Amino acid sequence: LLLVSAISLGVYQILYEINEAYKKDDLSDLDPQYITVGVLAGLLWSVYNYRKGSNYYSMYSLIGSLIGLYTLYRIYKERGEEK
């Protein structure tokens, strides 16, 4: 029961973050450097967890990194349109 609850909460959190990143119109309050560090940390955790045999946590970290990359893409796209 504990494992199912933890996985369900993690999936809910990922879906919530994807939805928030997709719906957000104004990205000017987000710091690209902070997000970049988060993406790199997520990628490093993915590699570490994969090497340790924890594929679930590896994928969890990788999805978080992909959300960060999508957010970075939107930030730089928005800044390019402002110029």
Side-chain angles (χ1 to χ4, degrees):
L1 180 65
L2 184 62
L3 178 64
V4 172
S5 298
I7 290 172
S8 298
L9 288 172
V11 169
Y12 171 77
Q13 182 183 12
I14 287 173
L15 293 175
Y16 180 80
E17 291 295 327
I18 290 171
N19 193 27
E20 286 296 309
Y22 183 74
K23 288 190 329 184
K24 192 167 187 160
D25 290 332
D26 183 23
L27 301 173
S28 61
D29 60 334
L30 299 177
D31 182 13
Q33 292 174 341
Y34 181 77
I35 296 171
T36 302
V37 170
V39 168
L40 291 175
L43 291 174
L44 289 173
W45 272 114
S46 290
V47 170
Y48 174 79
N49 285 321
Y50 180 77
R51 292 175 126 199
K52 293 293 181 182
S54 181
N55 294 333
Y56 173 75
Y57 292 113
S58 177
M59 291 304 297
Y60 188 78
S61 297
L62 186 60
I63 290 171
S65 295
L66 291 175
I67 293 169
L69 284 174
Y70 175 71
T71 306
L72 280 174
Y73 167 75
R74 290 209 38 222
I75 288 171
Y76 288 118
K77 181 180 173 189
E78 182 178 288
R79 289 185 180 180
E81 289 175 355
E82 289 176 356
K83 291 182 178 181

